[in-house]
Amino acid sequence: NHFSENFSSLKGKKILVTAGPTKEVIDPVRFLTNRSSGKMGYAIAEAANNFGANVTLVSGPTTLTPPANVNFVQIESAQEMYEQVMNYYHDTDIVIKAAAVADYRPATKYEQKMKKKDGDLIIQLERTIDILKTLGERKEKQILVGFAAETENVQAYAEKKLKSKNLDMIVANNVTQEGAGFGVDTNILTIYTKQGEKLELPLLSKQEAAKEILKKAATFLK
Ligand code: CTP
Ligand code: CA
């Protein structure tokens, strides 16, 4: 049947999913983050678990309840996500990086609350590590699935990330499109593969979108 044809290969496979935003501390009362709700990544983790995969979910701070029966690893910063992902990477079949990882963090973490002063404030930011790019450089047998959150030139940027991060497939969306992106329960996705395929999905619930992503990822399993 439909189910076994498309998803049976996921049974027993080790799938590592990252989800949510990261939180980058400025001082004890302030931090930088982004609009990610975690819904897409949690839906993927839940669906993969339902298909019999052995799922680890590395998540930044969200308001969601972790799906039952997944190995749930809570982190805050991009650096913590990097360390946890690296712990699991070697022993993973498929990595799905749905998290919205901060690209920059404050260069200095102040131990005390910063006090306001006259005039403007400049906070120096430094780059975080690109987790997915590092995974691409250290790829063994893992299937790497990236996401691309864009506001313009979706295809060009997504294809560039697919290549530069050595991915097998990338899931792109225009986060400014109605019904897509951050916070909402639906998504409008286009999947690009390293073989040059382009799969345009209609507006779907994040649960349905998760199944489509897993179905495509499963085609890379030997
Ligand atoms: N990603 C990551 N580590 C980072 C930044 C991004 O692993 N420090 C991953 C995301 O989880 C996602 C993919 O890289 O799967 C693309 O993220 P995105 O923010 O769309 O692209 P960037 O490469 O960060 O480029 P930019 O934000 O400039 O578009
Ligand atoms: Ca980014």
Side-chain angles (χ1 to χ4, degrees), residues 100-103 149 161 165:
V101 186
D103 294 320
K161 288 172 190 176
K165 303 193 193 210

PDB file of all heavy atoms in Angstrom, residues 100-103 149 161 165, ligand 2:
ATOM      1  N   ALA A 100      15.962  27.295  13.039  1.00  0.00           N
ATOM      2  CA  ALA A 100      16.390  28.623  12.595  1.00  0.00           C
ATOM      3  C   ALA A 100      17.535  29.050  13.522  1.00  0.00           C
ATOM      4  O   ALA A 100      17.314  29.631  14.585  1.00  0.00           O
ATOM      5  CB  ALA A 100      15.228  29.604  12.669  1.00  0.00           C
ATOM      6  N   VAL A 101      18.724  28.698  13.103  1.00  0.00           N
ATOM      7  CA  VAL A 101      19.911  28.930  13.940  1.00  0.00           C
ATOM      8  C   VAL A 101      20.348  30.385  13.803  1.00  0.00           C
ATOM      9  O   VAL A 101      20.427  30.904  12.686  1.00  0.00           O
ATOM     10  CB  VAL A 101      21.066  28.011  13.482  1.00  0.00           C
ATOM     11  CG1 VAL A 101      22.253  28.133  14.425  1.00  0.00           C
ATOM     12  CG2 VAL A 101      20.614  26.567  13.352  1.00  0.00           C
ATOM     13  N   ALA A 102      20.646  31.022  14.920  1.00  0.00           N
ATOM     14  CA  ALA A 102      21.147  32.399  14.854  1.00  0.00           C
ATOM     15  C   ALA A 102      22.444  32.437  14.060  1.00  0.00           C
ATOM     16  O   ALA A 102      23.309  31.575  14.228  1.00  0.00           O
ATOM     17  CB  ALA A 102      21.395  32.933  16.261  1.00  0.00           C
ATOM     18  N   ASP A 103      22.574  33.393  13.166  1.00  0.00           N
ATOM     19  CA  ASP A 103      23.810  33.547  12.391  1.00  0.00           C
ATOM     20  C   ASP A 103      24.858  34.333  13.170  1.00  0.00           C
ATOM     21  O   ASP A 103      26.045  34.235  12.888  1.00  0.00           O
ATOM     22  CB  ASP A 103      23.514  34.267  11.072  1.00  0.00           C
ATOM     23  CG  ASP A 103      22.627  33.430  10.166  1.00  0.00           C
ATOM     24  OD1 ASP A 103      22.827  32.203  10.107  1.00  0.00           O
ATOM     25  OD2 ASP A 103      21.725  34.006   9.517  1.00  0.00           O
ATOM     26  N   ALA A 149      15.102  29.450   4.550  1.00  0.00           N
ATOM     27  CA  ALA A 149      14.056  30.431   4.842  1.00  0.00           C
ATOM     28  C   ALA A 149      14.436  31.706   4.100  1.00  0.00           C
ATOM     29  O   ALA A 149      15.458  32.323   4.413  1.00  0.00           O
ATOM     30  CB  ALA A 149      13.989  30.678   6.346  1.00  0.00           C
ATOM     31  N   LYS A 161      22.602  27.149  -1.364  1.00  0.00           N
ATOM     32  CA  LYS A 161      22.802  26.490  -0.054  1.00  0.00           C
ATOM     33  C   LYS A 161      22.931  24.976  -0.225  1.00  0.00           C
ATOM     34  O   LYS A 161      23.730  24.332   0.453  1.00  0.00           O
ATOM     35  CB  LYS A 161      21.645  26.820   0.900  1.00  0.00           C
ATOM     36  CG  LYS A 161      21.683  28.261   1.390  1.00  0.00           C
ATOM     37  CD  LYS A 161      20.440  28.665   2.176  1.00  0.00           C
ATOM     38  CE  LYS A 161      20.453  30.178   2.402  1.00  0.00           C
ATOM     39  NZ  LYS A 161      19.240  30.679   3.073  1.00  0.00           N
ATOM     40  N   LYS A 165      26.569  23.677   1.082  1.00  0.00           N
ATOM     41  CA  LYS A 165      26.561  22.901   2.328  1.00  0.00           C
ATOM     42  C   LYS A 165      26.614  21.396   2.060  1.00  0.00           C
ATOM     43  O   LYS A 165      26.470  20.606   2.984  1.00  0.00           O
ATOM     44  CB  LYS A 165      25.333  23.269   3.172  1.00  0.00           C
ATOM     45  CG  LYS A 165      25.272  24.775   3.496  1.00  0.00           C
ATOM     46  CD  LYS A 165      24.275  25.123   4.572  1.00  0.00           C
ATOM     47  CE  LYS A 165      24.052  26.636   4.611  1.00  0.00           C
ATOM     48  NZ  LYS A 165      23.706  27.133   5.958  1.00  0.00           N
TER      49      LYS A 165
HETATM   50 CA    CA B   2      20.660  32.140   8.576  1.00  0.00          CA
END
